[in-house]
Each structure stands twice: as structure tokens, then as C-alpha cells.
Amino acid sequence: SDMFSLKDRMGRDYVLGPGDEIIVDIWGASQTSVQEVISPDGNIIVDNIGPVYLNGLTIQEADNHVKRIFSQIYSGLADGDSDCSIQLSLGQTRSILVNVMGEVEKPGAYQMSAFATVFNALYMAGGVSEIGTLRSINVLRGGRIAATVDLYEYLMKGFTDKNIRLEDNDVVVVAPISCLVNIDGRVRRPMLYEMNPEESLSDLLLFAGGMIS
């Protein structure tokens, strides 16, 4: 699904937290697997090692950290034995609570995967309403604007980097449309377009696909 492909693309930079499931696979003279959920205090408990603190680390950082820790009890890892290896991966992810407010079809609070993005939140809320903006969707985090998403960047240009990953207790706010401009005649996509105040006729023509010669 889209969520799993997103997980693959963004996984190594994902920041771990309580509720995330960690899987550590070890190959070599002693083949084993550790599967633990990060506790509220940020640890997983590993036999013969004890608590291993992973809260706040990315998957890549946690992988390196776990390799250093496990090398204390697996001599093959410490000696660089090519037949002995370890790999950390992410199992089930924690849930986050996201509020979607303003001009959407179903405003409310939604329990979502920690990989959820603004696009996922808008989908859960039934999409932007007829009078909702596509150009200036704000993500509030701790009472401040953490990001502003312009869906035209994705719809018109295909820029997926504008799909901001959400965090627990984020608020996604969709304001009403402020300015609509109709373009007709010899353009490829004659229709109504939402315009920002700083945009010009050349931007409008770009949205409309250019002139037909």
C-alpha cells in the first residue's frame, strides 16, 4: 500500500519512540532474534545486556547503537567476522493522534500511524471541502506553525517532498479559499484556479498548462 511504500522511503530517518516495535536479527554461530516494544521510558530489554535506550534515535542511529551494544556479548561482531551479522528493523509502529480542523469534510481527531503525513490526514478527514484552500494548509505543532503545505506543488508539479510527516498532537488546519481566478479560451486546462496574492498571470498560465498555439 501507499503507507508501506512511504515507510520504505522514509524508514532510515524515522525517529523511534515508546510504542515502536524493534526487531533485531543476529546471524552467526548463535542465530537468534530479539523482538521488543520500546517502553515508556525509551528502552528495550535484551537478555544478558539489560535495558537498551533507543528513544529519539533514527532507525540508522539505532542500528549502529545496537551493533555496538551487541558486540559486547557476540564476539564475532566485535572481531568483524563476515559470517556474523546483525540487523535492526522496525516492526509495528506507534500510533499518533492528529487533529484535522477547518474546511475538511470530516473534521476531528484521528489515530494514525507514526508514518502518517499531511496527505494521509486529509484523506482520513474526507478531503478538503469545496470552500477549503489547497494552497495554504498549516501544520501546527506546540501552538506554532511547523509547516505550510501547498497541494498545487504536488498536483501541478508532482513535488512529493511537500508531504510533511506528522507528529503526535499535531493539528492540520485548512482555511477557506481566499482568491479564485477563472481562465478560459486557448489554454490547455481552462478552469478555476486558486491563486496566492504574490502570484501573477504567468503563474496562472503555468497552472492552466500554457497557451494552445
Side-chain angles (χ1 to χ4, degrees), residues 7-162:
K7 193 171 172 179
D8 292 339
R9 292 197 304 270
M10 304 173 78
R12 305 308 285 179
D13 295 326
Y14 176 75
V15 177
L16 296 170
D20 286 329
E21 181 185 50
I22 297 301
I23 302 167
V24 181
D25 292 308
I26 301 152
W27 297 272
S30 177
Q31 186 168 333
T32 187
S33 180
V34 174
Q35 192 166 340
E36 288 281 334
V37 174
I38 298 177
S39 66
D41 57 2
N43 295 304
I44 60 171
I45 304 299
V46 181
D47 291 344
N48 302 320
I49 293 178
V52 178
Y53 191 77
L54 298 178
N55 183 50
L57 300 181
T58 65
I59 297 290
Q60 185 67 62
E61 290 167 343
D63 187 50
N64 294 334
H65 180 57
V66 164
K67 284 174 180 173
R68 288 193 299 270
I69 296 283
F70 274 65
S71 67
Q72 298 170 15
I73 60 171
Y74 291 95
S75 57
L77 289 171
D79 298 338
D81 186 348
S82 60
D83 293 328
C84 189
S85 63
I86 181 171
Q87 181 176 3
L88 179 145
S89 58
L90 182 65
Q92 294 294 315
T93 59
R94 66 188 184 272
S95 295
I96 61 173
L97 186 67
V98 175
N99 281 280
V100 187
M101 303 174 62
E103 302 303 334
V104 291
E105 295 296 337
K106 296 181 291 184
Y110 293 91
Q111 202 81 28
M112 309 185 73
S113 159
F115 275 90
T117 67
V118 171
F119 291 3
N120 298 131
L122 292 174
Y123 176 80
M124 292 286 287
V128 176
S129 72
E130 287 187 6
I131 65 168
T133 180
L134 298 178
R135 306 300 312 277
S136 185
I137 298 169
N138 286 326
V139 178
L140 304 183
R141 187 169 296 158
R144 301 175 126 187
I145 296 177
T148 299
V149 178
D150 181 353
L151 291 185
Y152 273 28
E153 292 289 305
Y154 171 71
L155 296 172
M156 301 291 183
K157 304 174 186 177
F159 291 165
T160 55
D161 61 327
K162 305 301 178 182

Side-chain angles (χ1 to χ4, degrees), residues 135 150 152-159 181 183-184 186-195 199-212:
R135 306 300 312 277
D150 181 353
Y152 273 28
E153 292 289 305
Y154 171 71
L155 296 172
M156 301 291 183
K157 304 174 186 177
F159 291 165
V181 178
I183 183 169
D184 203 352
R186 299 185 63 82
V187 292
R188 298 185 187 281
R189 293 189 297 266
M191 58 183 289
L192 277 170
Y193 291 94
E194 184 182 355
M195 301 292 291
E199 290 174 334
S200 64
L201 178 60
S202 61
D203 295 301
L204 180 60
L205 288 172
L206 184 64
F207 295 154
M211 301 287 290
I212 299 174

